[in-house]
Amino acid sequence: MKAGIIATIFLGLTDMLAAATLVVDPAGGGDFTEIQPAIDAAAAGDEVLVRPGEYVITEPITFRGKAIALRGEAGPGETVIRMADSPTDRNRASVVVFESGETEASVLQGFTLTRGKGIQWGTPNTPESGGGGILCTSRSSPTVTGCTISGNGARSGGGVYCGENSSPSL
């Protein structure tokens, strides 16, 4: 009898710990209408499923070191993340930034990333910028698959810039 009760409790806890799917829908038919709040709410192993649409952002999308999957439901032809013409900080205008030691378990899949201007560093006399579409830094090595990265600009790596021992899987 005790073994049955323990097994039931264990299975109940396992169900509670199962990965969740958080849905982003700009029309309001999901759990969120914007991508970054869904990422912020996700836990390791979760999937953030983004419904078709154009998502205009004013700050880079960042995984914050989480081992989650961010997936465009209908692929890059239908799911676009675009940096706004006037980002919150013009020196921090990449579309997606991996900067918190993300691993291959941090997955970005099925998006078009466009209009990013990169992250700027350096001095006023020698400005540098990189990663208009995606910036990988601080030993981050995410998995990026099935994405279209176009229409971005930066002095170094207008599409993708990898620095500081980062090695994403593209």
Side-chain angles (χ1 to χ4, degrees):
M1 180 80 160
K2 287 184 184 180
I5 293 171
I6 292 172
T8 302
I9 291 171
F10 178 74
L11 290 174
L13 290 173
T14 302
D15 288 345
M16 290 187 330
L17 297 175
T21 299
L22 305 168
V23 177
V24 179
D25 184 348
D31 304 304
F32 298 88
T33 57
E34 296 178 8
I35 297 169
Q36 190 64 55
I39 291 171
D40 293 344
D46 287 353
E47 176 181 49
V48 176
L49 184 64
V50 181
R51 293 214 171 124
E54 181 179 56
Y55 296 82
V56 179
I57 58 173
T58 58
E59 296 177 339
I61 297 294
T62 178
F63 278 48
R64 305 193 197 290
K66 295 182 178 185
I68 61 171
L70 177 64
R71 299 186 202 283
E73 181 179 58
E78 301 293 325
T79 315
V80 177
I81 305 174
R82 177 174 65 87
M83 180 54 70
D85 292 335
S86 298
T88 301
D89 179 351
R90 67 180 180 83
N91 293 322
R92 191 167 164 78
S94 295
V95 179
V96 178
V97 175
F98 295 100
E99 60 188 350
S100 300
E102 288 84 359
T103 68
E104 67 279 349
S106 298
V107 177
L108 177 68
Q109 179 181 7
F111 294 94
T112 291
L113 309 176
T114 192
R115 309 277 305 265
K117 298 153 189 75
I119 302 291
Q120 294 187 7
W121 65 87
T123 66
N125 294 332
T126 57
E128 188 62 50
S129 65
I134 297 175
L135 177 74
C136 292
T137 187
S138 302
R139 300 184 187 275
S140 295
S141 299
T143 300
V144 178
T145 183
C147 290
T148 300
I149 304 167
S150 66
N152 299 286
R155 291 181 68 115
S156 298
V160 178
Y161 181 86
C162 303
E164 298 181 42
N165 300 313
S166 296
S167 57
S169 211
L170 303 174

